[in-house]
Amino acid sequence: MCLAMPAKVVEIKDNVAIVDFGGVRREARIDFVKDVKVGDYVIVHTGFAIEKLDEKTALESLKAWEEVMKAMEE
């Protein structure tokens, strides 16, 4: 099973963004999403940004993921 995760764009070079998953940075292709800028939040699936998110929605989603991860640790 693959998951799509929200991440914040911290750098862009050509069609590749460096995205931050809560401190873990990875490359993500941005070919499928228009007008991505540094500071935007995107949903990343298998190394590709597939959708832009507004900040409020992204932060809510990240908080939900934190709760899931905390519950799994218990």
Side-chain angles (χ1 to χ4, degrees), residues 17-54:
I18 302 300
V19 296
D20 187 300
F21 295 97
V24 177
R25 293 183 176 198
R26 297 284 188 255
E27 290 185 352
R29 299 286 307 191
I30 54 173
D31 306 275
F32 302 134
V33 183
K34 294 183 181 185
D35 302 321
V36 175
K37 297 180 279 311
V38 170
D40 286 345
Y41 284 87
V42 292
I43 296 286
V44 178
H45 178 66
T46 63
F48 288 87
I50 58 173
E51 183 179 348
K52 279 176 56 173
L53 292 173
D54 62 83

